[in-house]
Amino acid sequence: MHDELRTANLLGALSLALSDVVTAEATASAGTSSSGAAALVVLSTASGLSVTELGRRVGLSQSAAARMVEGLEKQGLVRKEPSWGGWVRLQLTELGEEAAHRLLASRSEALRQALHHLDPREQEQLGGLLSKLLTGLYRQPGDAERICRLCDRCVCVQGGAICPVGQADRDHRASGERDHG
């Protein structure tokens, strides 16, 4: 029990330390808040979202998401485009695309620096353990977008790899279809 508590405590400290580093790098490189940075990453792979859907994916209420989008729009990072039924679709501007790219590059570098303390075999082992932990953190539809809101999704599936959170989402949806089908 003592070892489990210690490991949990170390994991908590590591999670906070990495979160602090990644958030600082992301916000500095994009020149936005942490939710703004997440919004840029989300829109870089899912353009055309509504303000409400973007807010859901980055963990903000509709009103908070509207304020965040307004700020991103003032910075020239996002533009609103009219859609059917009065809906507004959000698109990254060229400046927004560049900011998202810089953000992901700085995030990647900060995380790679943390891994430099492990040899290649340890990094591979850690990758497997992290996949297992991420799968365990997935609980319900919508979790994938929230968990991966700052992920570089292209890197996660490079070389035919399968994103553990995306797989957990697909498995959950499939089991729901079997339960209701």
Side-chain angles (χ1 to χ4, degrees), residues 16-84:
L16 281 176
L18 281 176
S19 178
D20 290 347
V21 168
V22 167
T23 300
E25 291 292 327
T27 57
S29 67
T32 67
S33 65
S34 59
S35 57
L40 294 175
V41 171
V42 168
L43 288 171
S44 73
T45 59
S47 65
L49 296 177
S50 68
V51 173
T52 302
E53 178 60 15
L54 179 62
R56 186 187 71 74
R57 291 188 184 195
V58 300
L60 295 175
S61 67
Q62 198 282 332
S63 59
R67 287 189 301 275
M68 175 197 61
V69 166
E70 189 176 299
L72 293 173
E73 198 174 23
K74 285 179 182 174
Q75 288 179 273
L77 302 171
V78 171
R79 72 176 174 276
K80 296 176 184 172
E81 294 181 352
S83 184
W84 58 273

Side-chain angles (χ1 to χ4, degrees), residues 10-167:
L10 292 172
L11 178 61
L14 175 66
S15 298
L16 281 176
L18 281 176
S19 178
D20 290 347
V21 168
V22 167
T23 300
E25 291 292 327
T27 57
S29 67
T32 67
S33 65
S34 59
S35 57
L40 294 175
V41 171
V42 168
L43 288 171
S44 73
T45 59
S47 65
L49 296 177
S50 68
V51 173
T52 302
E53 178 60 15
L54 179 62
R56 186 187 71 74
R57 291 188 184 195
V58 300
L60 295 175
S61 67
Q62 198 282 332
S63 59
R67 287 189 301 275
M68 175 197 61
V69 166
E70 189 176 299
L72 293 173
E73 198 174 23
K74 285 179 182 174
Q75 288 179 273
L77 302 171
V78 171
R79 72 176 174 276
K80 296 176 184 172
E81 294 181 352
S83 184
W84 58 273
W87 287 90
V88 173
R89 295 169 23 122
L90 301 173
Q91 303 288 337
L92 290 181
T93 63
E94 190 174 320
L95 195 60
E97 290 280 354
E98 291 168 4
H101 180 73
R102 278 192 319 274
L103 185 156
L104 288 172
S106 67
R107 173 190 177 273
S108 177
E109 186 54 32
L111 294 172
R112 288 178 65 230
Q113 288 297 320
L115 289 176
H116 280 228
H117 300 283
L118 302 177
D119 65 41
R121 186 183 59 73
E122 291 169 328
Q123 288 183 28
E124 186 177 335
Q125 289 173 327
L126 180 60
L129 294 171
L130 292 173
S131 291
K132 216 171 173 178
L133 289 171
L134 284 166
T135 299
L137 288 173
Y138 180 92
R139 300 274 187 259
Q140 61 190 8
D143 281 357
E145 288 91 358
R146 184 185 46 76
I147 291 169
C148 298
R149 67 187 177 274
L150 274 176
C151 283
D152 189 337
R153 292 170 188 236
C154 295
V155 169
C156 196
V157 296
Q158 226 169 23
I162 297 173
C163 169
V165 178
Q167 186 61 51

